[in-house]
Amino acid sequence: MAKWGMVIDLDKCTGCQACTTACAMENNTLPGESWQDVLFYHEGEYPSAQMKWLPRPCMQCENPSCVHVCPTRATYKDESAGGVVFVDWNKCIGCKYCMIACPYGVRFYADEKPLLEPDLREIFPGGQDKQLWSPPYQSPDEDWSKGIGIQPPGVVSKCTFCHHKTSKAPAGTVDFDEDNPAVKEYVPACVRTCAPKARYFGDLDNPESQVNQLIGDKHGVRLKDHTGNKPQVYYLGAGAGVPAFQPADKGDKS
């Protein structure tokens, strides 16, 4: 059984935020509900200050703290779906415990005051389908038991590694490469749209997979590994600021 993981090469990433835009369009998220965020910050002082950036998806942790604190078990890790962490919107009560427990800040509650005006929820109000909002460009994929589609009011949302795409890939797929015609339609949106090809997606449990080889050859690191969450997202390179987040281990996929 596969265990899906993502590798992000910070030496290649240009901070263009194409991943953020592609994710928003693919998953119909609201402004500020950035499942694929890019964090910008400065290091150093004038005249040697530098702007740096860090792409930050959900880490789909092996030992997710969000799952442990959910009082209704709405948040769960599905090993049959490659170890992706989902939110069952049929069970979620919007208590936000998971948002507090997540050390990466990658969960969102879209019912709050919008970050930008006008409020798209008022322009495209949800109808009888009980959606929080109803944009004209909705994806046909919807599964509230996995937090896929447009959420109802009062629930938490998060990245699903584009499960609605990857789950349709041919059996035995190990690497999701947008340059491979056989699998390009199943590649997660953020990976497929990455212009400098800084993102890779595949099976962490397959020693021959591209993600595994990159982690081993280039000493992949995981953010905040000292928390014990064991992310399934790895970063490569000395680029845009991973040391600032103090990852503990290098190359440890246990």
Side-chain angles (χ1 to χ4, degrees), residues 3-227:
K3 181 172 76 173
W4 301 132
M6 186 177 291
V7 171
I8 302 175
D9 190 335
L10 297 175
D11 287 339
K12 289 184 176 181
C13 176
T14 61
C16 70
Q17 302 182 76
C19 54
T20 304
T21 303
C23 176
M25 296 303 296
E26 180 72 32
N27 296 287
N28 304 127
T29 57
L30 286 160
E33 191 186 3
S34 299
W35 293 1
Q36 291 288 333
D37 208 355
V38 179
L39 306 178
F40 289 85
Y41 59 98
H42 292 86
E43 278 192 351
E45 298 179 356
Y46 177 84
S48 301
Q50 293 181 321
M51 174 178 283
K52 295 192 175 183
W53 50 89
L54 182 79
R56 183 189 60 175
C58 173
M59 302 295 158
Q60 313 293 355
C61 302
E62 294 180 33
N63 183 33
S65 52
C66 56
V67 171
H68 298 312
V69 302
C70 181
T72 63
R73 298 186 179 180
T75 292
Y76 65 100
K77 186 173 179 67
D78 191 343
E79 300 296 349
S80 67
V84 175
V85 177
F86 295 113
V87 180
D88 186 340
W89 288 336
N90 299 304
K91 296 180 179 179
C92 181
I93 59 175
C95 68
K96 306 181 188 176
Y97 284 179
C98 59
M99 295 176 66
I100 297 171
C102 175
Y104 305 102
V106 288
R107 286 173 164 257
F108 302 89
Y109 188 77
D111 289 70
E112 297 173 342
K113 182 179 179 180
L115 296 178
L116 301 174
E117 297 289 349
D119 188 345
L120 295 183
R121 296 171 299 183
E122 296 178 356
I123 298 175
F124 303 109
Q128 295 181 350
D129 49 13
K130 299 182 180 179
Q131 294 176 330
L132 182 62
W133 69 310
S134 185
Y137 50 85
Q138 296 183 41
S139 167
D141 297 291
E142 183 176 286
D143 184 353
W144 281 14
S145 70
K146 288 181 168 60
I148 296 172
I150 298 179
Q151 69 266 42
V155 301
V156 171
S157 68
K158 65 176 290 295
C159 160
T160 65
F161 266 1
C162 281
H163 175 74
H164 60 285
K165 293 166 68 72
T166 60
S167 60
K168 299 173 184 176
T173 299
V174 174
D175 296 310
F176 287 77
D177 185 351
E178 69 275 14
D179 292 331
N180 181 353
V183 299
K184 69 177 183 179
E185 294 299 327
Y186 315 109
V187 177
C190 62
V191 177
R192 185 173 181 181
T193 198
C194 183
K197 297 189 180 299
R199 289 179 179 242
Y200 308 84
F201 188 82
D203 186 0
L204 290 174
D205 274 352
N206 189 317
E208 303 302 319
S209 69
Q210 185 181 24
V211 288
N212 252 325
Q213 293 175 4
L214 287 168
I215 293 167
D217 292 345
K218 296 190 175 183
H219 308 292
V221 300
R222 304 188 289 196
L223 297 188
K224 297 188 175 181
D225 227 2
H226 60 280
T227 63

